[in-house]
Amino acid sequence: MSARTAEELRRIVYGLPLAFARGDEEAADVLLEGLDRVEVDAVCQALGRMVVQTVEVLCEKTGEPDPMASVVRLLQAQALQAAGE
């Protein structure tokens, strides 16, 4: 077990979206390198919370009545896109 600190995991959580936004899969791979299963789960949960919070704020701004429906649509679209790759 690599036993990363909470700060190291937080850096990974914030760094992954930036790496993917830049199209830098190598950087994302470096961030994820050596994570154990518990750490991967923690990172996934944190990223999920970030997505939900972001969608909720955007829905408030746009008047979308059901933020979770927006999250589901987003995830379905991503899954369909990934399946087509």
Side-chain angles (χ1 to χ4, degrees), residues 21 41 68 74 81 83:
D41 287 344
M68 294 320 296
L74 171 71
Q81 182 180 11

Side-chain angles (χ1 to χ4, degrees), residues 55-67 70 73:
V55 170
E56 286 175 344
V57 168
L58 291 173
C59 286
E60 284 177 21
K61 301 278 186 204
T62 62
E64 169 71 41
D66 186 1
S70 293
R73 283 194 304 273

Side-chain angles (χ1 to χ4, degrees), residues 18-81:
L18 294 174
F20 284 120
R22 291 189 313 256
D24 191 351
E25 290 188 32
E26 242 180 81
D29 288 342
V30 169
L31 287 169
L32 295 172
E33 189 175 299
L35 291 181
D36 65 26
R37 181 70 183 144
V38 172
E39 293 166 336
V40 169
D41 287 344
V43 168
C44 287
Q45 287 177 17
L47 287 168
R49 283 190 301 274
M50 284 175 55
V51 168
V52 169
Q53 289 170 345
T54 301
V55 170
E56 286 175 344
V57 168
L58 291 173
C59 286
E60 284 177 21
K61 301 278 186 204
T62 62
E64 169 71 41
D66 186 1
M68 294 320 296
S70 293
V71 171
V72 169
R73 283 194 304 273
L74 171 71
L75 293 174
Q76 286 173 334
Q78 290 296 313
L80 289 172
Q81 182 180 11

